[in-house]
Amino acid sequence: MAHQLPALPYDLDALEPHISRSTLEFHHGKHHAAYVTNLNNLVAATELEGQSLEDTITAVAGDAAKAGIFNNAAQVWNHSFYWQCIKAGGGGTPSGDLAAKIDADFGSFDAFKEQFKTAGATQFGSGWAWLVLDGGTLKVTKTANADLPLAHGQKALLTMDVWEHAYYLDYQNRRPDYMSTYLDKLVNWDFVAANLAAA
Ligand code: MN3
């Protein structure tokens, strides 16, 4: 079965005023959709046709001859994950086991937020900031372009898209404002906690 564009888990205007309907129309309806179409075209009639997204990513990671497949497959995964990382009325602070683990591994929630925003701010050009579980320890990382924790043996718990297409219509060049809003108003900590619990 071909890879599918997952429906957004909320209405197009659900994240306003923080992320506009227009941004979601382009980001989900054009960018994410194009990655799905490109991936399906690239794997058609190859041994990767019918493979899961994760198996496809793992199979081609590090293979320069298959960078096009990796980039599109990873971007499909990254965006499907990103939409679940945010929600209307999100932000605030995590609780329970996740909050305790953040305190243990970063020192405090504020220290985590600073590391996460620094990762996003210092990713030159396009990429992603992540909260990952790496060998049992929470870490903040950043990746360029389509790269993702799965290709580095890490488990993704939270991501923030810092490609310009994620924020330019709403924030123009003000990536730091998008990142602060992302953390303070949008993050779905229940989703992050569920990812940790399932790890
Ligand atoms: Mn994007």
Side-chain angles (χ1 to χ4, degrees):
M1 182 172 161
H3 297 285
Q4 305 285 324
L5 177 68
L8 284 174
Y10 28 72
D11 293 337
L12 285 167
D13 57 5
L15 304 181
E16 291 189 343
H18 310 303
I19 293 179
S20 64
R21 164 185 283 270
S22 183
T23 289
L24 287 185
E25 285 175 344
F26 279 94
H27 199 180
H28 176 261
K30 303 295 184 186
H31 291 277
H32 192 178
Y35 296 128
V36 174
T37 299
N38 292 342
L39 175 61
N40 283 326
N41 289 337
L42 286 165
V43 301
T46 77
E47 73 282 4
L48 294 170
E49 186 170 24
Q51 296 291 310
S52 74
L53 197 52
E54 287 82 1
D55 286 349
T56 300
I57 290 167
T58 303
V60 302
D63 184 344
K66 294 182 176 170
I69 295 173
F70 176 82
N71 286 335
N72 283 283
Q75 284 292 78
V76 171
W77 194 96
N78 291 344
H79 285 89
S80 298
F81 189 74
Y82 171 76
W83 305 128
Q84 299 176 77
C85 287
I86 50 182
K87 66 175 185 178
T93 56
S95 59
D97 291 346
L98 174 61
K101 183 88 174 132
I102 287 174
D103 284 345
D105 291 351
F106 294 101
S108 69
F109 181 62
D110 285 344
F112 155 75
K113 285 173 68 176
E114 278 308 306
Q115 280 195 36
F116 193 77
K117 284 195 274 190
T118 297
T122 58
Q123 175 50 46
F124 185 80
S126 297
W128 302 80
W130 303 88
L131 173 65
V132 303
L133 194 63
D134 184 359
T137 302
L138 295 180
K139 292 179 182 173
V140 165
T141 66
K142 59 183 176 180
T143 59
N145 300 315
D147 196 15
L148 74 177
L150 179 61
H152 302 278
Q154 300 164 329
K155 163 92 174 170
L157 304 182
L158 168 69
T159 196
M160 177 172 64
D161 190 343
V162 295
W163 287 56
E164 282 188 346
H165 68 221
Y167 61 85
Y168 211 85
L169 294 177
D170 300 323
Y171 298 88
Q172 292 78 49
N173 62 323
R174 292 175 286 112
R175 187 189 285 189
D177 290 351
Y178 158 72
M179 296 193 305
S180 292
T181 301
Y182 190 91
L183 281 169
D184 295 339
K185 306 290 187 185
L186 293 169
V187 170
N188 182 350
W189 287 113
D190 290 339
F191 177 68
V192 182
N195 291 334
L196 177 63

